[in-house]
Amino acid sequence: MIKRDVMIYTRYERFWHWSQAVLIFTLFFTGLGIHGTHSMLKFGQAVTLHTYAAYALMGLWVFTTFWNFTTGQWRQYLFKKGILKVIRFYAYGILVGEPHPYKKSLQRKQNALQSLAYMTFMVIIGPALWLTGLLYLFYNAWAGQPWSGDALWLVAVLHTVAAFAMGTFVIIHIYMTTTGKTPLHYVKTMITGYDKVELSEVEEAYLAETKTVDMR
Protein backbone atom coordinates (compact mmCIF):
# COMPACT_ATOMS: atom_id res chain seq x y z
CA MET A 1 0.00 0.00 0.00
CA ILE A 2 1.20 3.50 -0.84
CA LYS A 3 0.17 6.72 0.93
CA ARG A 4 -0.59 9.60 -1.41
CA ASP A 5 -2.18 13.02 -1.05
CA VAL A 6 -5.55 12.56 -2.71
CA MET A 7 -8.37 15.09 -3.14
CA ILE A 8 -11.13 13.34 -1.23
CA TYR A 9 -13.31 16.43 -0.72
CA THR A 10 -14.49 18.12 -3.92
CA ARG A 11 -14.92 21.87 -4.31
CA TYR A 12 -18.65 21.55 -3.78
CA GLU A 13 -18.23 19.47 -0.61
CA ARG A 14 -15.93 22.13 0.81
CA PHE A 15 -18.28 24.94 -0.24
CA TRP A 16 -21.19 23.07 1.33
CA HIS A 17 -19.27 22.46 4.55
CA TRP A 18 -18.06 26.02 5.13
CA SER A 19 -21.20 27.82 3.95
CA GLN A 20 -23.28 25.50 6.13
CA ALA A 21 -21.04 26.30 9.10
CA VAL A 22 -21.46 30.06 8.57
CA LEU A 23 -25.25 29.74 8.26
CA ILE A 24 -25.56 27.51 11.34
CA PHE A 25 -23.51 29.90 13.46
CA THR A 26 -25.62 32.80 12.14
CA LEU A 27 -28.83 30.95 13.03
CA PHE A 28 -27.59 30.07 16.51
CA PHE A 29 -26.41 33.63 17.19
CA THR A 30 -29.64 35.22 15.97
CA GLY A 31 -31.73 32.55 17.68
CA LEU A 32 -30.14 33.39 21.02
CA GLY A 33 -30.87 37.05 20.30
CA ILE A 34 -34.54 36.26 19.61
CA HIS A 35 -34.71 34.41 22.92
CA GLY A 36 -33.23 37.43 24.71
CA THR A 37 -29.96 35.72 25.64
CA HIS A 38 -28.02 38.70 24.27
CA SER A 39 -28.92 42.17 23.03
CA MET A 40 -26.29 42.58 20.32
CA LEU A 41 -29.06 42.79 17.73
CA LYS A 42 -32.46 44.40 17.89
CA PHE A 43 -35.29 41.89 18.00
CA GLY A 44 -36.53 42.77 14.50
CA GLN A 45 -33.01 42.57 13.07
CA ALA A 46 -32.45 39.18 14.70
CA VAL A 47 -35.73 37.80 13.32
CA THR A 48 -35.01 39.07 9.80
CA LEU A 49 -31.45 37.74 9.71
CA HIS A 50 -32.57 34.45 11.27
CA THR A 51 -35.26 34.03 8.61
CA TYR A 52 -32.96 34.76 5.66
CA ALA A 53 -30.23 32.47 7.03
CA ALA A 54 -32.83 29.71 7.52
CA TYR A 55 -34.06 30.02 3.93
CA ALA A 56 -30.47 29.95 2.67
CA LEU A 57 -29.65 26.85 4.73
CA MET A 58 -32.78 25.03 3.59
CA GLY A 59 -31.93 25.83 -0.01
CA LEU A 60 -28.38 24.60 0.51
CA TRP A 61 -29.61 21.35 2.09
CA VAL A 62 -32.11 20.70 -0.70
CA PHE A 63 -29.48 21.23 -3.40
CA THR A 64 -26.90 19.18 -1.48
CA THR A 65 -29.36 16.31 -1.06
CA PHE A 66 -29.88 16.36 -4.84
CA TRP A 67 -26.09 16.49 -5.34
CA ASN A 68 -25.48 13.58 -2.95
CA PHE A 69 -27.96 11.35 -4.77
CA THR A 70 -26.86 12.27 -8.29
CA THR A 71 -23.17 11.75 -7.50
CA GLY A 72 -23.63 8.64 -5.35
CA GLN A 73 -22.07 10.36 -2.34
CA TRP A 74 -25.11 9.39 -0.23
CA ARG A 75 -23.45 6.01 0.26
CA GLN A 76 -20.84 7.73 2.46
CA TYR A 77 -23.52 8.26 5.12
CA LEU A 78 -24.84 4.70 5.31
CA PHE A 79 -24.31 2.84 8.58
CA LYS A 80 -20.97 1.08 8.71
CA LYS A 81 -19.61 -1.75 10.81
CA GLY A 82 -17.10 -1.08 13.57
CA ILE A 83 -18.90 1.71 15.40
CA LEU A 84 -18.17 0.21 18.84
CA LYS A 85 -14.45 0.11 18.02
CA VAL A 86 -14.54 3.78 16.99
CA ILE A 87 -16.47 4.78 20.15
CA ARG A 88 -13.96 2.86 22.29
CA PHE A 89 -11.10 4.64 20.52
CA TYR A 90 -12.48 8.13 21.24
CA ALA A 91 -13.43 7.19 24.83
CA TYR A 92 -10.18 5.43 25.73
CA GLY A 93 -7.79 4.55 22.92
CA ILE A 94 -7.02 8.13 21.91
CA LEU A 95 -5.91 8.85 25.50
CA VAL A 96 -3.34 6.03 25.55
CA GLY A 97 -1.99 6.44 22.03
CA GLU A 98 -3.75 3.54 20.32
CA PRO A 99 -3.99 3.70 16.51
CA HIS A 100 -7.32 4.70 15.03
CA PRO A 101 -9.31 1.57 14.07
CA TYR A 102 -10.53 3.27 10.89
CA LYS A 103 -8.47 4.07 7.81
CA LYS A 104 -9.79 6.68 5.39
CA SER A 105 -10.25 5.65 1.77
CA LEU A 106 -11.87 7.06 -1.36
CA GLN A 107 -14.83 4.76 -0.79
CA ARG A 108 -15.11 5.53 2.92
CA LYS A 109 -14.43 9.15 3.81
CA GLN A 110 -16.12 8.89 7.21
CA ASN A 111 -15.73 6.35 9.97
CA ALA A 112 -18.78 4.53 11.36
CA LEU A 113 -19.41 7.08 14.14
CA GLN A 114 -19.17 10.03 11.74
CA SER A 115 -21.61 8.38 9.32
CA LEU A 116 -24.12 7.80 12.12
CA ALA A 117 -23.74 11.37 13.38
CA TYR A 118 -24.17 12.91 9.92
CA MET A 119 -27.14 10.68 9.13
CA THR A 120 -28.80 11.72 12.41
CA PHE A 121 -28.06 15.35 11.59
CA MET A 122 -29.55 15.15 8.09
CA VAL A 123 -32.50 12.82 8.75
CA ILE A 124 -33.66 13.90 12.23
CA ILE A 125 -32.20 17.21 13.43
CA GLY A 126 -32.32 19.06 10.12
CA PRO A 127 -35.91 18.15 9.16
CA ALA A 128 -37.08 18.89 12.72
CA LEU A 129 -35.66 22.39 12.41
CA TRP A 130 -37.17 22.91 8.96
CA LEU A 131 -40.65 21.76 9.94
CA THR A 132 -40.89 23.61 13.26
CA GLY A 133 -39.23 26.71 11.83
CA LEU A 134 -41.67 26.90 8.93
CA LEU A 135 -44.65 26.29 11.22
CA TYR A 136 -43.38 29.07 13.47
CA LEU A 137 -42.74 31.43 10.55
CA PHE A 138 -46.17 30.88 9.01
CA TYR A 139 -48.08 30.83 12.30
CA ASN A 140 -50.59 33.36 10.98
CA ALA A 141 -51.77 30.82 8.42
CA TRP A 142 -53.07 28.51 11.17
CA ALA A 143 -53.48 30.93 14.08
CA GLY A 144 -57.26 30.76 13.83
CA GLN A 145 -57.41 27.11 14.85
CA PRO A 146 -58.69 26.42 18.41
CA TRP A 147 -55.57 24.45 19.21
CA SER A 148 -53.12 27.00 17.80
CA GLY A 149 -51.99 28.38 21.18
CA ASP A 150 -50.90 25.03 22.59
CA ALA A 151 -49.49 23.97 19.24
CA LEU A 152 -47.36 27.12 18.98
CA TRP A 153 -45.86 26.43 22.41
CA LEU A 154 -45.03 22.86 21.33
CA VAL A 155 -43.55 24.05 18.04
CA ALA A 156 -41.38 26.61 19.87
CA VAL A 157 -40.12 24.00 22.35
CA LEU A 158 -39.34 21.45 19.63
CA HIS A 159 -37.58 24.07 17.52
CA THR A 160 -35.43 25.12 20.48
CA VAL A 161 -34.61 21.50 21.38
CA ALA A 162 -33.62 20.77 17.77
CA ALA A 163 -31.50 23.95 17.68
CA PHE A 164 -29.60 22.93 20.81
CA ALA A 165 -29.17 19.42 19.36
CA MET A 166 -27.59 21.03 16.32
CA GLY A 167 -25.44 23.21 18.58
CA THR A 168 -24.27 20.11 20.43
CA PHE A 169 -23.45 18.43 17.12
CA VAL A 170 -21.39 21.45 16.06
CA ILE A 171 -19.46 21.60 19.36
CA ILE A 172 -18.61 17.90 19.16
CA HIS A 173 -17.71 18.31 15.49
CA ILE A 174 -15.30 21.15 16.32
CA TYR A 175 -13.70 19.08 19.07
CA MET A 176 -13.31 16.11 16.72
CA THR A 177 -11.40 18.29 14.24
CA THR A 178 -8.62 18.58 16.84
CA THR A 179 -8.10 14.80 17.08
CA GLY A 180 -6.13 14.43 13.85
CA LYS A 181 -2.38 14.18 13.39
CA THR A 182 -2.23 17.83 14.44
CA PRO A 183 -4.99 20.02 15.93
CA LEU A 184 -5.55 21.68 12.53
CA HIS A 185 -5.02 18.64 10.28
CA TYR A 186 -8.72 18.08 9.53
CA VAL A 187 -9.35 21.81 9.11
CA LYS A 188 -6.57 21.99 6.52
CA THR A 189 -8.03 18.94 4.77
CA MET A 190 -11.44 20.60 4.51
CA ILE A 191 -9.83 23.76 3.12
CA THR A 192 -7.57 22.13 0.52
CA GLY A 193 -9.57 18.96 -0.09
CA TYR A 194 -6.45 16.80 0.16
CA ASP A 195 -5.68 14.09 2.70
CA LYS A 196 -3.26 11.18 2.83
CA VAL A 197 -4.95 7.97 1.71
CA GLU A 198 -3.52 4.47 1.41
CA LEU A 199 -3.76 3.27 -2.19
CA SER A 200 -2.95 -0.07 -3.71
CA GLU A 201 -0.71 -0.08 -6.77
CA VAL A 202 -3.77 -0.79 -8.91
CA GLU A 203 -5.72 2.14 -7.41
CA GLU A 204 -2.76 4.49 -7.83
CA ALA A 205 -2.27 3.44 -11.45
CA TYR A 206 -6.01 3.83 -12.14
CA LEU A 207 -6.15 7.36 -10.67
CA ALA A 208 -2.97 8.38 -12.50
CA GLU A 209 -4.38 7.09 -15.78
CA THR A 210 -7.97 8.29 -15.57
CA LYS A 211 -7.43 11.55 -13.66
CA THR A 212 -10.86 11.00 -12.05
CA VAL A 213 -9.48 12.20 -8.71
CA ASP A 214 -6.61 14.64 -8.30
CA MET A 215 -3.55 13.11 -6.68
CA ARG A 216 -0.16 14.48 -5.75
Side-chain angles (χ1 to χ4, degrees):
M1 300 294 285
I2 306 167
K3 277 196 171 184
R4 294 290 299 271
D5 283 322
V6 179
M7 180 171 284
I8 60 171
Y9 298 117
T10 64
R11 289 180 181 176
Y12 181 75
E13 284 177 296
R14 285 174 279 150
F15 165 77
W16 164 37
H17 180 275
W18 291 113
S19 57
Q20 179 175 250
V22 170
L23 289 170
I24 287 174
F25 278 114
T26 300
L27 285 166
F28 206 71
F29 175 74
T30 54
L32 291 174
I34 292 170
H35 278 267
T37 306
H38 66 75
S39 57
M40 298 177 70
L41 292 173
K42 294 180 179 179
F43 181 80
Q45 292 175 327
V47 171
T48 300
L49 186 55
H50 193 83
T51 302
Y52 283 132
Y55 278 135
L57 185 58
M58 284 190 287
L60 179 65
W61 280 348
V62 169
F63 187 83
T64 299
T65 300
F66 171 78
W67 179 85
N68 274 318
F69 277 101
T70 55
T71 60
Q73 290 297 317
W74 61 272
R75 297 183 181 88
Q76 297 286 345
Y77 306 102
L78 294 178
F79 182 79
K80 301 178 178 69
K81 295 180 180 179
I83 189 168
L84 294 180
K85 291 181 180 179
V86 177
I87 292 175
R88 180 191 178 279
F89 170 77
Y90 286 118
Y92 172 74
I94 194 172
L95 302 175
V96 296
E98 290 184 1
H100 202 299
Y102 159 78
K103 291 187 181 298
K104 187 174 292 186
S105 69
L106 290 175
Q107 294 74 33
R108 292 184 57 188
K109 298 178 184 180
Q110 288 97 25
N111 62 51
L113 185 59
Q114 287 174 316
S115 294
L116 179 62
Y118 293 145
M119 183 61 73
T120 302
F121 176 74
M122 292 186 292
V123 175
I124 298 176
I125 299 175
L129 282 167
W130 297 352
L131 180 60
T132 55
L134 289 172
L135 287 172
Y136 215 159
L137 185 62
F138 295 103
Y139 170 70
N140 289 336
W142 50 278
Q145 301 299 325
W147 40 262
S148 61
D150 292 335
L152 180 62
W153 176 85
L154 181 61
V155 166
V157 170
L158 291 177
H159 190 72
T160 302
V161 169
F164 276 100
M166 177 177 282
T168 301
F169 172 87
V170 170
I171 291 171
I172 294 174
H173 187 68
I174 292 173
Y175 163 71
M176 295 297 283
T177 63
T178 67
T179 63
K181 297 171 185 177
T182 67
L184 295 178
H185 172 79
Y186 291 133
V187 174
K188 181 180 178 182
T189 297
M190 191 50 71
I191 292 174
T192 65
Y194 288 93
D195 201 359
K196 286 195 177 296
V197 176
E198 285 190 353
L199 301 173
S200 66
E201 292 184 3
V202 173
E203 288 176 321
E204 184 183 32
Y206 175 79
L207 294 180
E209 177 69 23
T210 62
K211 308 293 185 183
T212 51
V213 177
D214 196 17
M215 177 178 61
R216 61 189 186 187

